[in-house]
Amino acid sequence: MKRALIILALVGACAATAIFWLGLRSDPGDVSMTSPLQAPVGISTEERGHYLVRVGDCMACHTRQGGADYAGGRVIPTPFGDFYSPNLTPDPETGLGLWSADDFWKAMHEGRSRDGSLLYPAFPYTNYTKLSRDDSDAMFAYLKTLPAVKQPRREHQLQFPYNYRFLLVGWRALFFRPGVYQPVGAQDAQWNRGAYLVQGLGHCSACHEARNALGAVQSRDNPAGGLVLNWYAPALSAPAEAGVQHWPKEDIVRLLRDGIAPGASTLGPMAEVVYESLQHASAEDLDAMATYLKSLEPSQPPPASGAVRVPAHAVDDMSKRGATIYADHCASCHGEAGEGAPPAAPALRGNRAVTMDSAVNPIRIVLFGGYAPGTAGNPRPFGMPPFGNTLSNQDVADVMTYTRSAWGNQGRPVSSAEVARNRQGPLW
Amino acid sequence: MLRKCRFAALLGLLMLGSAATAAAPDTMAQRMLACAACHGAEGRATGDGFYPRIAGKPAGYLYHQLINFREGRRLNAQMTYLLERQSNDYLREMAEYFAGLSLPHPPTQPTQADPARLQHGLQLVRQGDATRGIPACNDCHGEKMTGVMPDIPGLLGLPYDYLVAQFGAWRQGTRHGTAPDCMAAIVAKLTPEDIDAAASWLAAQPMPADPHPAPSLPKPLPTSCGSVTGAGAAQ
C-alpha cells in the first residue's frame, strides 16, 4: 500500500514536471531557416514586413472598426469569452514601443509576451511559430514604422476558469510545439512556399479547422471546419465543403484574390480576409497557396454535428411551402430551377455552399444577405438582399429545406430552431 | 376576352424566354437589389416607418452616410455588414445611383399630433430658438426643406419614427457626422418635447411640387459642419 502510494506520487511528480517543462520551456527556434518567400529584389526590410503583415492579416484582429490601423481594441468573441486585441503600434506605454525584435520573435515563435507571460492562443502563435526569424524581424521592422497611437489595452473578459492565465501551461503542454516550418523534401519550392503561407503566415487553420473543447485545432482527429465569429469556416480538405483539389488553379487564385470565382464567392469573415489581406498578395504567393491547397489529401465530409433534426414526417410539407417561398422571393434572380444568373446570382443547384451539412452560412446569407468584397478584381459586386425582416424562422427553414433537396441537391432539412439560433450574435 | 388570353400567352412566352437565358442585367439597379429589402423598391421606402427613403437624396449626403456606416460612426449592424468591405469608389457610385432616382413621393400620412405641438414644431423649424442657440432647420436644410446639394439632406417625406430615431441616435451617441458634428451639437440642446414637436411637424408636411434638393444655400451655414464640404460650407 505504502509502496503504491510512493509510486503514485512519483508518477504524479513526473507528470507535473513534464507538463511544466513542455508548457514553459524556452525555445530559441531554428534561426538558420530563412523565409521560403522570395522577396522582390531591391525591396527594403520594412516594405517586406509591410507585405508580410498584410498577408498575415494582422489588421483583422488588431484594428478596431473606425480605429487607427494596428492600434488594437477589436473584440474577438469566442466560446471562452471576449478577447480584446492589443496595440501593435510603437507607443511605449500602450503598444510595442519598448519591444525588441527578440521580444517580438518570442511572441510569434513561443507565444510569450515581453514580460514572459503566456499568451492566449486566440493569437494564432500555433501557426506563427512556423515563421522564419527573418520574416518575424521584417514584420517587426514594419510595425516600428507605424505612427505611435496611445490606446490602452482592454482586459479580456473571459469566463472561469479561462481567466487564469497560468492554466495555459497545461494547454501548451498538450497542444503546442514551437517549431519553424521545415520544408518537405519530396515537394518543390512552390509547394513549400504555399504550405508556409497556408499553415504559417496565413494561419488558415485558425478558422478552417475544428477546435476541441479546449480551443485547440484538432485536424488530425476531425476533418471538420470550424465555427468562428458566427460563421462556419468550411474544411479546406473536404471536396464536399471548401476543398479545391478538383478546381483549375486559376479559379483558386481568383477566389483568394478577387473574392469571387466560377461557382463560389466569399462572404462574412472570409470576405474580410480577401478584402484586407489576400487581394494584396503577390501572384507568386497566390499561385503557391493554390498549389498547396490543390494537393491536400481529400477528406470525407465531416461528421454531422450540432443540427436540430427535423422529424421525417414534417419534411414534405416544409418543402412544399418552401417551393412557394422560393418562387415568390428567390426565383427571379436564382432561376426557377436554381440555375442562377452569374455573376449577379450564383446557381443554387449543385452548390456545395447550399448543401453542405452545416447550414450556418446559407441561413445567415438568407437572413442578412451580403456582398462579396469589393476587390480590385471585382470592384462592383452584386449583392444578396437580407430576408430577415420579410421571412419568419419557419419560412427560412422551409425555403432552405426546399433548396437543399430540389434539383438533385442532397442536403439535410433545416429546422426553424436552427434558423432562430443564427439570428443571434454580431454580424461579420 | 380573347385579346386578354392572347396577351397572357404572349406574356407567358416572354417570361419563359427570359427564364431560359437567365442573364441578370449588368446594371446598378440589379446590384442594389439588396437595399430594396428594407428601403423599398428603388429606395422609395416602405410603409414600415423605420427605414428611410433614399431615392433622390443628395449624393454627397448619401455618400457620407455610407462611409459613416462602414466606419462605425453610425450604428446599424445590418448596414455595416453590407458595406464593410466596399471601396469608396463603389460607395460613391451607390450614392449617385440613388440620388439620381427621381420618383414620385407617396402621400403624407395624417398626423396624430395636437395643434399646439405642431405650432411648437413649426416655430423650431422655421425660426429655431435664439435664446438657446438653436438654429432654424431652414437655415441649413433649405427654404423648402428638401435639402441642399450636394451634402445636406431634405427633412420632408420621412416618417415620424425615423426622424425621432435619428434625434435619439445623436443623443445616445450611436449616430455621428464627420467632426465638427453640427447636428450632435444642436440635438444636445433639444428637449424630448422639442424633438417630438419638430418631428411631428416635419412628418406631417406634404412634399412641395418640386421635391429636388436646392442647388445652393442663400447664405453660409450658421455653424460649421464636417459633413458639408461642398458649396455653402460655413466660412
Side-chain angles (χ1 to χ4, degrees), chain A residues 65 369 371 374 380-381 389, chain B residues 31 51 78 80-81 85 90 93:
Chain A
Q65 186 191 43
Y371 279 89
R380 301 161 73 233
N389 288 339
Chain B
R31 286 180 166 80
Y51 303 102
Q78 177 72 67
T80 302
Y81 162 72
R85 289 128 206 163
Y90 195 30
E93 194 181 349

Side-chain angles (χ1 to χ4, degrees), chain A residues 112-135:
Chain A
R112 279 169 179 262
S113 190
R114 179 166 174 263
D115 63 6
S117 59
L118 304 179
L119 295 172
Y120 284 101
F123 167 55
Y125 59 84
T126 41
N127 298 94
Y128 295 153
T129 189
K130 293 179 190 284
L131 293 191
S132 63
R133 173 76 198 226
D134 57 340
D135 278 351

Side-chain angles (χ1 to χ4, degrees), chain B residues 35-37 39-46 55 98 103:
Chain B
C35 315
H39 292 283
E42 301 170 297
R44 294 167 193 242
T46 61
F98 283 109
L103 302 163

Side-chain angles (χ1 to χ4, degrees), chain A residues 24-41:
Chain A
L24 291 170
R25 78 196 151 127
S26 169
D27 180 275
D30 182 355
V31 292
S32 67
M33 294 295 302
T34 53
S35 174
L37 310 176
Q38 290 134 9
V41 182

Side-chain angles (χ1 to χ4, degrees), chain A residues 273-414:
Chain A
V273 172
V274 168
Y275 188 69
E276 283 174 358
S277 168
L278 293 176
Q279 69 164 323
H280 306 290
S282 70
E284 296 78 18
D285 284 342
L286 288 164
D287 188 82
M289 281 188 263
T291 302
Y292 173 74
L293 290 170
K294 258 182 96 65
S295 79
L296 291 177
E297 182 68 32
S299 63
Q300 286 303 305
S305 61
V308 182
R309 294 290 156 194
V310 177
H313 63 83
V315 173
D316 273 357
D317 278 351
M318 287 176 71
S319 269
K320 264 184 216 144
R321 285 197 303 267
T324 310
I325 296 168
Y326 183 85
D328 289 347
H329 295 286
C330 320
S332 61
C333 292
H334 290 288
E336 280 165 33
E339 71 275 17
L348 304 182
R349 180 175 62 203
N351 186 337
R352 59 188 180 172
V354 175
T355 56
M356 77 172 77
D357 184 73
S358 165
V360 168
N361 296 353
I363 289 174
R364 290 187 79 81
I365 293 167
V366 171
L367 289 176
F368 304 114
Y371 279 89
T375 54
N378 183 36
R380 301 161 73 233
F382 291 87
M384 164 83 177
F387 284 95
N389 288 339
T390 328
L391 300 181
S392 69
N393 292 339
Q394 188 61 52
D395 291 341
V396 176
D398 292 348
V399 77
M400 291 204 49
T401 297
Y402 170 72
T403 47
R404 281 159 71 92
S405 61
W407 326 302
N409 282 351
Q410 292 187 326
R412 63 166 177 82
V414 171

Side-chain angles (χ1 to χ4, degrees), chain A residues 133-147:
Chain A
R133 173 76 198 226
D134 57 340
D135 278 351
S136 169
D137 286 354
M139 292 169 86
F140 183 67
Y142 166 68
L143 293 173
K144 282 291 218 191
T145 68
L146 292 170

